[in-house]
């Protein structure tokens, strides 16, 4: 019987090892630039306004989305998902969504057409705009993009940035997220208390579980194995002692 226990112990170790190896490549961070102030850039909106970013977040907390209108990838799904999630929230919640193009080739006309395509051009909660200070903005929020000359597309983060009324980055969401994640972001940028935890990363070797915000999957990690060592060791020891006693009686 003790051989079966040892086999079970080895199997648990093997599975946890696989999980650890799979998650060690995970390197998304939603904590980068948190609690730092967003660059107070100049925005030109599709409604013809020219204003500072602070003019927007001083009125209401902001959710910032960075996209480009020629995007054939995640831009439209990101905004459509955000639009759908917002319809499920309390309509009395006060906040704005600011959509800024990080592609300098985009014009206000391009963005206005893009807003119309998404059915958001007449929604007062949404503001679409361009800026000549895009580099300062993406640097201040930790947004990453890279031009692919073959596909003629940007490889970029699907990122939402929550900015509170003082201009500080309070919450970031990477990937297509559900309405619960959006609710947490809104509580955060309204300075409400939210229980938080760091996302797993390559340095979180001793964590018990990992969570992938894109797939929503949770996996066991090496830390759980460490917690189980005393219990498993005790069980194995008891089995061995019991087995030896039976052999001595024979």
């Amino acid at each position: 019987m003790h051989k079966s226990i040892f086999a079970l112990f080895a199997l648990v170790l093997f599975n946890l090892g696989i999980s650890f190896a799979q998650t060690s490549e995970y390197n998304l961070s939603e904590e980068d630039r948190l609690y730092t102030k967003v660059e107070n850039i100049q925005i030109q909106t599709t409604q013809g306004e020219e204003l500072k970013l602070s003019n927007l977040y001083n009125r209401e907390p902001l959710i910032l989305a960075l996209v480009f209108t020629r995007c054939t990838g995640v831009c439209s799904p990101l905004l459509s998902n955000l639009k759908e999630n917002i319809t499920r929230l309390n309509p009395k919640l006060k906040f704005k969504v600011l959509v800024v193009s990080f592609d300098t080739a985009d014009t206000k006309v391009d963005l206005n057409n893009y807003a119309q395509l998404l059915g958001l051009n007449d929604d007062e909660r949404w503001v679409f705009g361009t800026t000549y200070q895009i580099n300062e903005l993406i640097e201040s929020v930790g947004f990453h993009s890279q031009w692919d000359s073959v596909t003629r597309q940007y490889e970029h983060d699907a990122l939402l940035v929550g900015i509170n009324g003082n201009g500080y980055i309070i919450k970031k969401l990477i990937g297509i997220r559900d309405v619960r994640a959006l609710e947490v972001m809104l509580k955060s940028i309204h300075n409400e208390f939210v229980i938080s935890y760091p996302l797993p990363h390559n340095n979180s070797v001793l964590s018990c579980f990992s969570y992938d915000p894109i797939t929503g999957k949770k996996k066991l990690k090496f830390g759980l194995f460490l917690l189980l060592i005393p219990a498993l060791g005790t069980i194995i020891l008891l089995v061995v002692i019991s087995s030896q006693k039976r052999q001595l009686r024979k």
Side-chain angles (χ1 to χ4, degrees), residues 208-249:
C208 296
F209 298 94
S210 68
Y211 173 70
D212 188 330
I214 294 179
T215 63
K217 292 183 178 178
K218 302 178 182 66
K219 295 177 181 176
L220 302 180
K221 289 198 67 180
F222 190 69
L224 182 61
F225 168 70
L226 294 179
L227 287 178
L228 294 176
I229 283 179
L232 291 174
T234 301
I235 292 172
I236 291 172
L237 182 61
L238 290 173
V239 170
V240 171
I241 291 173
S242 176
S243 176
Q244 288 178 343
K245 282 185 175 180
R246 284 198 298 270
Q247 289 178 358
L248 289 174
R249 289 172 183 167

Side-chain angles (χ1 to χ4, degrees), residues 13-212:
L13 178 61
F14 177 74
N15 287 332
L16 286 170
I18 290 177
S19 297
F20 175 70
Q22 288 174 336
T23 55
S24 63
E25 296 177 357
Y26 185 81
N27 194 28
L28 293 178
S29 174
E30 295 182 348
E31 300 184 353
D32 182 32
R33 315 298 169 86
L34 285 188
Y35 310 115
T36 62
K37 204 158 189 176
V38 66
E39 189 71 26
N40 190 19
I41 59 165
Q42 196 80 17
I43 299 281
Q44 295 83 40
T45 74
T46 55
Q47 288 78 27
E49 288 185 293
E50 179 146 347
L51 39 75
K52 302 287 283 186
L53 187 58
S54 57
N55 295 135
L56 290 172
Y57 64 67
N58 282 339
R59 297 174 195 165
E60 292 174 324
L62 281 179
I63 295 176
L64 170 67
L66 292 160
V67 300
F68 68 109
T69 62
R70 292 173 296 159
C71 179
T72 59
V74 75
C75 300
S76 295
L78 176 70
L79 297 185
S80 296
N81 180 69
L82 179 57
K83 174 186 174 184
E84 173 63 25
N85 284 339
I86 288 175
T87 63
R88 300 168 64 183
L89 299 174
N90 183 344
K92 294 182 179 179
L93 280 174
K94 292 185 177 180
F95 67 96
K96 291 282 189 185
V97 180
L98 174 62
V99 181
V100 177
S101 172
F102 62 88
D103 184 354
T104 55
D106 274 334
T107 65
K108 288 190 292 184
V109 174
D110 293 328
L111 268 178
N112 190 53
N113 292 337
Y114 191 59
Q116 287 184 0
L117 185 67
L118 295 169
L120 293 168
N121 54 311
D122 292 327
D123 192 324
E124 293 182 354
R125 193 184 294 280
W126 292 70
V127 179
F128 286 74
T130 59
T131 177
Y132 61 86
Q133 295 177 287
I134 189 60
N135 289 334
E136 291 92 329
L137 179 61
I138 63 179
E139 173 62 25
S140 69
V141 301
F143 177 79
H144 304 99
S145 67
Q146 185 172 1
W147 175 251
D148 186 331
S149 59
V150 177
T151 62
R152 301 190 65 76
Q153 289 283 305
Y154 286 99
E155 297 290 336
H156 63 93
D157 299 331
L159 174 67
L160 298 178
V161 182
I163 302 169
N164 74 2
N166 295 318
Y168 284 90
I169 300 167
I170 302 300
K171 184 75 177 174
K172 295 171 72 174
L173 297 177
I174 298 175
I176 306 294
R177 306 294 285 273
D178 60 21
V179 69
R180 289 175 296 178
L182 180 61
E183 288 172 338
V184 171
M185 169 175 273
L186 289 171
K187 286 183 178 179
S188 299
I189 62 178
H190 282 92
N191 302 319
E192 296 180 26
F193 175 74
V194 176
I195 298 175
S196 64
Y197 53 88
L199 280 174
H201 49 78
N202 288 340
N203 295 325
S204 57
V205 177
L206 299 180
S207 63
C208 296
F209 298 94
S210 68
Y211 173 70
D212 188 330

